[in-house]
Amino acid sequence: MSEVLAPSAANIERAARALAAGEVVAFPTETVYGLGADAADPAAVARVFALKGRPATHPLIVHLGSAVQAQQWSAHWPPAAQRLADRFWPGPLTLIVRKAGSVHAAVTGGQDSVGLRVPSHPVARALLAEFARLGSGAIAAPSANRFGRLSATHAAHVLAEFGAQVPIVLDGGACEVGIESTIVDLSRGPPVLLRPGAIALAALADALGERPRAPDADAPRASGTLASHYAPRAQVMLVEADLVAEIAGFLAGDGKTVAVLARTAGEPLEPRLRWQRAPQDAAGYAHDLYAMLRALDQPGTDVIVVERPPLDAAWGAIADRLQRAAADRPAQEAG
Ligand code: TXA
Ligand code: MG
């Protein structure tokens, strides 16, 4: 049985006790829901990998209550880490630093670095505080979705992904940001932006005093950086705004069941065509993105035609997620 719990003090304590007992707990963060386990307990962490169906070589992010705690998980805390932590924590930023000797390989996927994040969601913070009292205070958590699938931004999405396999889901309502955290790698020299998120590149550059670089070919493996990720079951096509109606109409006329996700209004002329209006602004769009894609990705939907987002920087992280959703899926990720 899976229980969706309101985030009362009693339920947060219950969730923290479950973590301390080696169990898996799903919880809200400001970005997306996480599937959490005690980061200091390799057996609990292994349960998260098994639930997600994620390859053991893909590292998890360790969530902590403060930057001081985060430093204890790192072997080396560079000045750049402190600058970013000062500016953006608690918040939707993950820092990759060299791991402390005590950090289990189960968490880091065997790498010598570790991803650290201090989330700002009040329920995540309360859970971390309670778990610091009752246990290690460090929660290793990937996004609460099966490997390669859309992240969860509502408690109901977590249930849809895992059903009764996750005994406790803390319900914090809709996640405010809606897309996964910005990831900056500081473990290998100059800062590298591994995953764009809600924090603007210009703000990162301002805090760092330099522009973070793009990852090169031998950058560490990050599942969010696989070409195909965040994928609905239906095929996703990214299409220029002025062609959306025509292409969707053509596909529907061809017998396909088509859904459209577009910021512009459309005429659903074909009965098999569903048209979802998306928010105009990037923050609103990110907030709704996974819920909209999940709603459109019904069994029987063949194609989701998505209007290509604007090119300006504010839409960068959204464009990144949509490109990955639209990318061809390798066979092992198709299930
Ligand atoms: O917003 C978020 O970051 C959410 C919430 C729950 O905090 N978490 C999340 O976790 O998106 P996940 O596991 O779905 O994505 C974490 C990404 C993966 O791409 C992983 O490979 C990368 O972070 N990552 C973690 N540790 C790393 C490391 N040591 N080196 C390189 N990449 C790392
Ligand atoms: Mg994920």
Side-chain angles (χ1 to χ4, degrees), residues 275-299:
W275 194 291
Q276 169 71 50
R277 245 346 248 293
Q280 294 298 315
D281 64 303
Y285 193 108
H287 179 274
D288 292 355
L289 175 61
Y290 290 130
M292 293 187 299
L293 285 175
R294 278 173 185 273
L296 294 176
D297 192 29
Q298 295 302 318

Side-chain angles (χ1 to χ4, degrees), residues 33-326:
Y33 276 73
L35 192 62
D38 182 355
D41 179 348
V45 171
R47 246 167 243 138
V48 170
F49 278 89
L51 273 172
K52 263 196 83 118
R54 184 179 197 163
T57 50
H58 289 220
L60 304 185
I61 295 170
V62 178
H63 298 71
L64 297 150
S66 70
V68 172
Q69 282 170 272
Q71 283 178 51
Q72 290 160 8
W73 285 71
S74 74
H76 173 64
W77 189 249
Q82 193 57 45
R83 268 185 248 129
L84 292 176
D86 284 343
R87 175 84 74 100
F88 301 110
W89 278 356
L93 174 70
T94 297
L95 297 179
I96 311 293
V97 293
R98 277 165 44 206
K99 75 171 194 76
S102 54
V103 182
H104 291 290
V107 173
T108 65
Q111 305 193 41
D112 59 0
S113 60
V114 63
L116 304 171
R117 176 158 114 79
V118 177
S120 63
H121 194 292
V123 176
R125 294 183 67 68
L127 180 64
L128 284 163
E130 193 63 6
F131 187 46
R133 203 169 66 80
L134 298 170
S136 75
I139 304 177
S143 52
N145 55 278
R146 291 187 190 275
F147 181 63
R149 294 296 172 196
L150 299 170
S151 294
T153 53
H154 293 258
H157 298 165
V158 182
L159 283 187
E161 289 288 309
F162 299 106
Q165 288 179 289
V166 177
I168 295 182
V169 181
L170 281 176
D171 189 350
C175 299
E176 193 186 330
V177 174
I179 54 173
E180 307 77 7
S181 61
T182 303
I183 305 181
V184 178
D185 185 0
L186 299 170
S187 70
R188 306 179 326 138
V192 175
L193 181 66
L194 289 185
R195 183 171 72 184
I199 297 173
L201 197 59
L204 290 173
D206 185 56
L208 285 165
E210 65 182 305
R211 240 178 116 80
R213 304 174 185 202
D216 52 35
D218 56 287
R221 221 180 144 72
S223 34
T225 62
L226 294 176
S228 160
H229 211 69
Y230 312 111
R233 285 179 174 75
Q235 186 197 343
V236 174
M237 274 178 79
L238 269 178
V239 168
E240 302 306 329
D242 55 351
L243 292 176
V244 168
E246 195 182 327
I247 288 176
F250 172 79
L251 290 167
D254 200 33
K256 298 258 189 317
T257 300
V258 182
V260 172
L261 178 60
R263 292 158 68 230
T264 49
E267 300 278 305
L269 297 172
E270 290 274 346
R272 273 191 304 271
L273 201 154
R274 212 173 131 199
W275 194 291
Q276 169 71 50
R277 245 346 248 293
Q280 294 298 315
D281 64 303
Y285 193 108
H287 179 274
D288 292 355
L289 175 61
Y290 290 130
M292 293 187 299
L293 285 175
R294 278 173 185 273
L296 294 176
D297 192 29
Q298 295 302 318
T301 301
D302 298 304
V303 188
I304 305 175
V305 175
V306 181
E307 179 188 323
R308 205 177 274 288
L311 290 171
D312 44 297
W315 290 82
I318 291 164
D320 169 81
R321 302 309 189 274
L322 288 175
Q323 272 147 20
R324 293 180 205 284

